[in-house]
Amino acid sequence: MSWSEYLLLGRLIFFLLLLTLFVLWTNKVRGAMHLPGYCALLASLLMLVIAQSLHMYARHDPSSYYQTMPLGLFTLAVLLLLLSFMDLIWLSHKRARQKLGADSQREWLRDVYEKIPAAVFVEKQGRVEYGNSAFVSLQARFERQNPFEDCVQAQQEIWLSTEKGERFAYWVAQFPMLGQEGCAYIISDITAIKLQRDFIAKVSSDLYHHGEKTLKDILNSIHELLPTSLIYVARKEADEKKYVYLHHMGGKTDVNVFDDLYLNHSLSDKKNHWHWLTTKALGEFSQDSFIAQYSPQQIGAISLCDEVGGELGIILVLQPQSQKVNQLLKSFLSIFSLHVRFEFEHFQSKKRLQKSHDRYRSFVARSNEAIMDIDILPGINMEHSFEHQWQHLLNKANISEYNPAFSHIFNLHGGLEMKELLAIKSIKHVMKYILQSGYGSEAIEVAHEDNEAQLRWINCSVMADTQDGKVLSLRLIIRDITHSKMHIQNLEYQNSHDLLTSLPNRLALRDTVDEKIEQALQFGFKMALLLIDLDRFKEVNDTLGHHYGDVLLKKIAPRITPLLTPYRAFFARLGGDEFAVVMPSFQSDIETHALAKNILKKLREPFDLGQLTVEIGASVGISQYPKDGQDTSALLRCADVAMYRAKKHSNSILDYSQEMDENSPRRLALMAAMGRGITERQFFLHYQPKLTLSDNAIRGAEALIRWQHPDMGLVNPAEFIPMAELSDVIIPMTQWVIEEALLQVKEWLKKQQYVKVSVNVSTRNLLDENLWSFIAEKLQQYEVPAYLFELEITESALMSDPERALDTLNKISDLGVSISVDDFGTGFSSLVYLRQLPIDALKIDIMFVRNMCANEQDEMIVKSIINMAKNLSLTVVAEGAEDAQTLEKLKDMDCDQVQGFYISKPVAADDFFDFCESWQQE
């Protein structure tokens, strides 16, 4: 191979190496060129490599087609290379100009950062990259590269201390740099502001503690800055234009500023802000005031207002010559006005407090409650023992004040020492209770004996003012509750005692038996209950009248009570002619029988009733705890069973035994089954017709409940109704009867049969507040006219709670429902309640009607009842008409309606309709 060939091969290798270097260096070249220049450079290098290769090939084969191509490729490659170099030169020139502009902008920003009145620096990765001269000064002051490296919030206040102990406050604002790591910080020095705030707080504190002296000092300081000005302070009065002079400083000596000032201004448009008024604005002030006399050329004024906008007062700075107010003076005036505002608010607070205090003192002086304030200095340590606290109270407590009501209750006059107060037994008891209970605020009731030895009841509450575990004062509030206490005791007595005999009643008996059972269980005693029923008492009542019956009942207690003392026995009247004796303990049946015999002996002695002397007897049933029962109800039931058996016994005294209580399982079963019987529809109604005598037509019926028990068969109403009346089942049972009866009336109305149906209600029903609302609801539900429905009540049902029963009946009567009194003539206070009840009819008891034809006295009773009812415009219904003679006699007596077996026995609803049709045909 020749040297020329070696030279060509070297050139080829050189171009290949150049191409390789280009590829390796492509990132830098690419970053310094545009895309066209970059492509031209790459193409020129490739063409040089191709041209050199073709040239080497043409040397070996001169006749080759490629002999002339290398020269053209070389030429094109040189042109492209020139183009790429031109692009590179142009781009480099452009970037140099951009860099020069950026450097110019950076220098401008640096100049701005240097001139702003704050420290600015940039931090990246924990290092300060840039800081203006203000920041450099802070670095030198605190001898740290970054004094604010502990600031983590976007904006915050920070106090820094120098090595010499100087403290500075700064406001630090942190801003993240967009697109770069790091943060920029702007630091503002707020030391002066913080110190000014502290200064204001200090002056406020001085003003609060030193009052007017501090205000004068501030006025003196302001006057030193404005020696020719008149500084005037006035407080706003209730009148919207009136200001009361408070203080002034400086000004002409011949100007009187002490008078009240009347201003008509609009300074409160900007509350708590200073206004600088020119002579043009002087018209806002009245011309006859000292302001016009002073003739100021410029006025500084501020309207001081509270937080809700109410004006407190005004400050005026009257300047004889207009002058520019510098910033320092404005700052002092702002501080001054702030403290004057505090003074005004303090004055208002004291005024309100004094007014409240005066109002409270007036209230205390006029109060019906006895009020006393006791100061204790030094205070009582609440952790000390009761004895130590009591001695402290005696020695260190002082009575500061008490009102006239306190003097009246405890008969106090003039000064009073603590020992004298605690000499009053009731107060001493209250104070000891308060100390022992840890100064609780609950009220206590104590008895107090006044100077006339009269027992009174007082309600006492004590309020303790405590601080740091010490009692500094006590306030006693005492009310005389004697009247209310006596009223409550009287109500409790009436609730637990029989009004006629003053003996404990059935309720008190139950409470006593419960108590004695508990004691007997605790100590292992046996307890006895004696139930006493008077014999022949009904004859005395019926023969001589209720007055003599009442006299006889009153004489029972004086005879029996002395017999009970040796046994510590309890005596009560259960009602009517029934009494009970409770023996709290006994050893054997001999004791119970001995007491029962002595009672019977005393009761069989003649009773002098005034003009008459009568003799009666009694029967005694005895039950024992725990043998016969474990609770009061069981003992009463067993004693009742024994008493009724004793009436048929020759001895008239019987102890309870299970053999004599044959019906108890059946009664228990019936009691348990009644509620279920209502839900399972075991009950049904029969209707007994009522004949109207004037036209011989059936216009009414009495609904009577019947019970078909699935196991016991047809249960007699006389057996299950009294049991229902003793339990709560009577309520749903009566509601069922009312609803069934109204439903039947609705069915009869569909058949054009207008029959008024009456339903009996018991004592429990009359005390049920929901009875009238239930009737109103069902009348509306079944669309039954109220005049076709009637309630029958007995006089005895009213005696339990006459007022509640009367209220219920009035509400029912207002619905249009008729009220009828059943069994009239057998009640205890017929005439008394007859004129009060909203009744429409009287129903004569069957025992008078049944025998009226054979008994002249019964006939007279029936006739009297009919005549009385007619005089009172009441309808009369006679039940018990069982023969034609009785029916004709009732008709002659002008009786309105009759019911009885002679007319018809109670029948089912379908049979009742058939009976009415057949009766009309007859």
Side-chain angles (χ1 to χ4, degrees):
M1 183 180 293
S2 64
W3 282 103
S4 60
E5 290 176 343
Y6 279 115
L7 182 60
L8 291 174
L9 180 61
R11 289 167 58 189
L12 177 62
I13 293 172
F14 170 74
F15 288 136
L16 289 175
L17 288 174
L18 185 62
L19 180 62
T20 303
L21 290 174
F22 171 76
V23 173
L24 293 175
W25 196 47
T26 182
N27 288 333
K28 291 187 177 180
V29 176
R30 177 68 186 93
M33 299 178 64
H34 288 113
L35 181 61
Y38 173 74
C39 294
L41 179 60
L42 179 61
S44 66
L45 291 175
L46 288 174
M47 287 182 181
L48 287 173
V49 173
I50 295 171
Q52 187 64 35
S53 300
L54 291 175
H55 180 67
M56 291 176 63
Y57 179 76
R59 288 288 299 267
H60 293 283
D61 189 7
S63 62
S64 172
Y65 171 75
Y66 302 104
Q67 187 69 33
T68 59
M69 290 186 65
L71 180 60
L73 288 174
F74 274 118
T75 303
L76 183 59
V78 171
L79 290 175
L80 290 175
L81 188 59
L82 288 174
L83 287 174
S84 64
F85 285 152
M86 289 176 66
D87 179 69
L88 180 60
I89 293 170
W90 179 82
L91 185 61
S92 298
H93 178 69
K94 179 181 179 182
R95 289 184 176 174
R97 284 186 300 167
Q98 289 178 344
K99 181 178 181 182
L100 182 61
D103 291 341
S104 176
Q105 184 178 15
R106 190 175 297 112
E107 288 299 326
W108 178 80
L109 288 174
R110 286 176 182 272
D111 186 56
V112 171
Y113 293 155
E114 290 296 331
K115 290 181 179 179
I116 64 174
V120 179
F121 72 96
V122 178
E123 181 188 48
K124 292 184 179 180
Q125 297 179 351
R127 294 194 318 169
V128 177
E129 296 288 335
Y130 165 77
N132 64 357
S133 57
F135 178 72
V136 173
S137 299
L138 294 180
Q139 288 178 316
R141 174 182 290 177
F142 298 105
E143 299 180 2
R144 294 167 60 185
Q145 182 192 18
N146 183 5
F148 306 99
E149 59 187 353
D150 295 330
C151 296
V152 295
Q153 300 179 13
Q155 295 183 5
Q156 71 179 93
E157 290 183 9
I158 185 173
W159 280 93
L160 297 177
S161 300
T162 65
E163 292 294 332
K164 297 179 181 181
E166 297 176 312
R167 299 181 73 246
F168 296 89
Y170 297 97
W171 177 260
V172 183
Q174 182 183 150
F175 304 95
M177 299 181 67
L178 298 176
Q180 301 182 45
E181 295 183 358
C183 292
Y185 292 82
I186 299 178
I187 314 299
S188 300
D189 190 337
I190 59 172
T191 307
I193 297 174
K194 297 285 286 185
L195 291 177
Q196 186 182 36
R197 187 185 306 169
D198 295 340
F199 170 73
I200 293 173
K202 182 179 182 302
V203 175
S204 299
S205 177
D206 291 343
L207 179 65
Y208 179 80
H209 291 293
H210 301 291
E212 191 174 353
K213 182 177 182 299
T214 304
L215 179 59
K216 289 182 179 179
D217 291 341
I218 296 177
L219 284 176
N220 284 327
S221 299
I222 299 299
H223 189 254
E224 289 178 0
L225 296 175
L226 299 170
T228 61
S229 299
L230 171 64
I231 305 169
Y232 175 85
V233 182
R235 189 181 68 248
K236 185 73 170 61
E237 273 294 294
D239 191 308
E240 62 178 5
K241 296 181 181 180
K242 182 180 179 181
Y243 293 85
V244 177
Y245 166 80
L246 186 64
H247 203 78
H248 81 283
M249 186 67 65
K252 298 178 182 179
T253 57
D254 58 344
V255 176
N256 180 18
V257 299
F258 300 100
D259 296 333
D260 294 338
L261 183 65
Y262 290 84
L263 303 180
N264 183 18
H265 66 83
S266 59
L267 297 177
S268 59
D269 292 344
K270 293 182 179 180
K271 301 169 183 177
N272 300 318
H273 284 77
W274 279 93
H275 298 252
W276 296 97
L277 309 176
T278 61
T279 54
K280 295 181 180 180
L282 293 181
E284 296 183 3
F285 302 99
S286 58
Q287 296 300 315
D288 58 347
S289 67
F290 74 91
I291 299 176
Q293 300 174 28
Y294 193 78
S295 301
Q297 295 302 310
Q298 181 172 290
I299 298 178
I302 183 172
S303 175
L304 299 176
C305 302
D306 57 23
E307 293 181 355
V308 296
E311 189 174 10
L312 301 171
I314 193 170
I315 304 173
L316 300 177
V317 177
L318 280 64
Q319 296 175 281
Q321 299 296 331
S322 298
Q323 62 180 5
K324 185 177 181 181
V325 181
N326 59 34
Q327 188 61 41
L328 178 62
L329 178 58
K330 289 183 179 179
S331 299
F332 268 96
L333 288 175
S334 297
I335 295 172
F336 169 70
S337 62
L338 178 63
H339 291 291
V340 174
R341 174 188 167 189
F342 290 160
E343 178 71 11
F344 288 158
E345 290 179 338
H346 181 62
F347 175 82
Q348 280 201 346
S349 297
K350 289 194 298 183
K351 189 175 180 181
R352 285 194 297 267
L353 184 62
Q354 183 62 40
K355 187 176 181 180
S356 175
H357 182 67
D358 293 343
R359 187 164 53 246
Y360 168 74
R361 290 177 63 86
S362 175
F363 165 76
V364 170
R366 299 179 182 180
S367 174
N368 293 326
E369 295 180 335
I371 301 175
M372 171 178 281
D373 290 333
I374 300 173
D375 294 332
I376 309 168
L377 292 174
I380 299 176
N381 193 325
M382 298 174 65
E383 295 182 356
H384 287 170
S385 64
F386 164 73
E387 290 77 13
H388 190 280
Q389 293 186 49
W390 183 255
Q391 288 301 320
H392 193 116
L393 182 69
L394 284 171
N395 299 328
K396 302 298 181 181
N398 293 308
I399 299 171
S400 60
E401 189 177 10
Y402 57 90
N403 66 349
F406 203 99
S407 302
H408 175 72
I409 291 179
F410 298 102
N411 195 28
L412 303 176
H413 303 285
L416 183 66
E417 298 293 332
M418 197 66 195
K419 291 182 179 180
E420 297 177 67
L421 177 68
L422 296 180
I424 302 172
K425 292 182 180 180
S426 56
I427 298 295
K428 183 178 181 180
H429 175 77
V430 170
M431 297 302 292
K432 283 190 172 183
Y433 175 82
I434 293 300
L435 266 64
Q436 291 172 337
S437 64
Y439 301 92
S441 60
E442 70 274 8
I444 61 173
E445 295 180 0
V446 295
H448 171 69
E449 187 175 309
D450 61 19
N451 291 342
E452 299 177 356
Q454 296 292 324
L455 184 66
R456 307 191 69 81
W457 284 94
I458 56 176
N459 178 285
C460 307
S461 59
V462 179
M463 293 183 291
D465 179 18
T466 62
Q467 184 175 348
D468 298 330
K470 292 186 177 181
V471 181
L472 303 179
S473 66
L474 296 171
R475 170 165 293 172
L476 278 67
I477 302 176
I478 298 174
R479 291 187 297 116
D480 188 340
I481 58 170
T482 305
H483 292 298
S484 60
K485 188 75 174 179
M486 298 302 294
H487 180 65
I488 293 173
Q489 289 179 348
N490 186 44
L491 291 177
E492 291 177 349
Y493 180 86
Q494 292 180 8
N495 191 47
S496 60
H497 285 74
D498 175 56
L499 297 180
L500 178 64
T501 63
S502 297
L503 287 171
N505 59 12
R506 183 183 291 270
L507 182 62
L509 174 71
R510 282 186 169 274
D511 292 339
T512 302
V513 174
D514 289 341
E515 179 186 349
K516 299 306 178 184
I517 287 176
E518 186 175 346
Q519 294 176 359
L521 177 63
Q522 182 178 0
F523 298 106
F525 295 156
K526 292 191 296 182
M527 189 203 74
L529 176 64
L530 285 67
L531 207 60
I532 305 167
D533 185 78
L534 303 182
D535 297 337
R536 298 188 297 279
F537 175 76
K538 189 176 184 304
E539 297 177 10
V540 175
N541 241 359
D542 294 343
T543 304
L544 303 179
H546 296 308
H547 169 71
Y548 289 98
D550 292 347
V551 173
L552 174 60
L553 291 174
K554 291 179 182 179
K555 290 181 175 290
I556 300 295
R559 289 196 180 185
I560 303 301
T561 302
L563 303 176
L564 307 179
T565 304
Y567 302 95
R568 295 177 291 109
F570 176 84
F571 191 40
R573 182 192 177 199
L574 303 186
D577 58 353
E578 284 191 0
F579 296 83
V581 174
V582 180
M583 292 182 68
S585 64
F586 67 96
Q587 298 297 324
S588 66
D589 294 350
I590 296 176
E591 291 184 59
T592 59
H593 278 258
L595 177 59
K597 288 177 181 179
N598 290 334
I599 291 173
L600 290 183
K601 182 179 179 181
K602 280 291 183 181
L603 291 177
R604 286 168 182 166
E605 293 177 2
F607 285 88
D608 184 6
L609 304 183
Q611 299 178 348
L612 296 170
T613 299
V614 298
E615 295 183 2
I616 62 171
S619 302
V620 180
I622 305 173
S623 62
Q624 299 177 12
Y625 171 86
K627 178 174 71 72
D628 300 325
Q630 303 293 319
D631 56 43
T632 302
S633 296
L635 292 177
L636 281 170
R637 189 186 69 80
C638 292
D640 187 62
V641 171
M643 181 192 68
Y644 278 103
R645 285 299 185 96
K647 285 183 174 295
K648 301 177 183 179
H649 196 271
S650 58
N651 192 26
S652 298
I653 301 173
L654 277 182
D655 288 297
Y656 173 80
S657 63
Q658 292 185 353
E659 291 76 15
M660 66 177 62
D661 200 6
E662 298 174 356
N663 294 326
S664 59
R666 175 179 173 86
R667 284 205 299 269
L668 291 175
L670 289 175
M671 286 290 291
M674 273 192 289
R676 186 174 66 253
I678 295 173
T679 58
E680 296 180 357
R681 302 194 66 82
Q682 298 174 9
F683 291 91
F684 59 94
L685 294 183
H686 274 181
Y687 299 88
Q688 186 171 24
K690 292 181 181 179
L691 176 65
T692 301
L693 295 177
S694 60
D695 57 1
N696 198 39
I698 304 297
R699 302 189 184 278
E702 181 179 2
L704 301 170
I705 189 170
R706 298 291 184 262
W707 186 7
Q708 184 67 43
H709 194 278
D711 300 323
M712 302 181 188
L714 190 63
V715 183
N716 194 325
E719 184 178 7
F720 71 81
I721 289 179
M723 287 191 293
E725 290 177 343
L726 294 175
S727 67
D728 292 335
V729 77
I730 191 64
I731 301 297
M733 179 180 288
T734 304
Q735 290 180 349
W736 178 86
V737 172
I738 291 173
E739 187 166 7
E740 284 293 312
L742 291 176
L743 185 60
Q744 186 57 58
V745 172
K746 180 180 181 180
E747 293 298 322
W748 285 338
L749 285 174
K750 292 179 181 179
K751 300 178 181 179
Q752 300 299 315
Q753 191 77 19
Y754 294 86
V755 178
K756 176 186 281 191
V757 175
S758 59
V759 172
N760 293 278
V761 293
S762 68
T763 303
R764 282 179 178 262
N765 295 124
L766 291 182
L767 300 182
D768 179 16
E769 297 178 352
N770 298 320
L771 177 62
W772 75 273
S773 59
F774 178 81
I775 293 174
E777 177 187 348
K778 296 304 175 182
L779 285 172
Q780 184 177 8
Q781 178 181 348
Y782 295 116
E783 300 178 347
V784 173
Y787 72 87
L788 292 181
F789 186 65
E790 183 178 58
L791 284 188
E792 291 191 10
I793 62 172
T794 60
E795 294 172 81
S796 59
L798 297 169
M799 298 305 296
S800 175
D801 192 340
E803 291 185 4
R804 284 181 61 184
L806 185 59
D807 181 62
T808 301
L809 291 175
N810 282 327
K811 290 179 180 179
I812 294 173
S813 179
D814 291 342
L815 297 175
V817 174
S818 301
I819 308 294
S820 173
V821 177
D822 196 10
D823 300 336
F824 186 79
T826 61
F828 201 65
S829 303
S830 303
L831 295 178
V832 173
Y833 287 103
L834 187 62
R835 56 190 177 89
Q836 299 181 13
L837 295 172
I839 60 174
D840 303 281
L842 295 180
K843 199 170 185 182
I844 306 175
D845 188 73
I846 190 173
M847 71 178 216
F848 299 119
V849 177
R850 181 179 295 167
N851 299 320
M852 60 180 290
C853 293
N855 189 315
E856 186 176 348
Q857 187 176 9
D858 287 348
E859 182 180 356
M860 291 300 299
I861 291 174
V862 172
K863 190 171 184 178
S864 298
I865 293 174
I866 293 175
N867 291 334
M868 180 187 66
K870 292 297 181 181
N871 291 331
L872 296 175
S873 301
L874 299 177
T875 302
V876 183
V877 181
E879 59 177 338
E882 299 180 356
D883 52 55
Q885 184 181 4
T886 302
L887 185 65
E888 287 300 322
K889 185 164 288 191
L890 288 170
K891 191 173 183 179
D892 294 340
M893 292 180 179
D894 200 19
C895 183
D896 296 307
Q897 287 186 330
V898 173
Q899 71 179 92
F901 281 10
Y902 180 74
I903 300 167
S904 173
K905 64 179 182 179
V907 295
D910 294 338
D911 296 336
F912 181 88
F913 183 74
D914 295 339
F915 171 79
C916 290
E917 287 189 339
S918 62
W919 186 273
Q920 291 176 356
Q921 292 175 1
E922 292 178 3

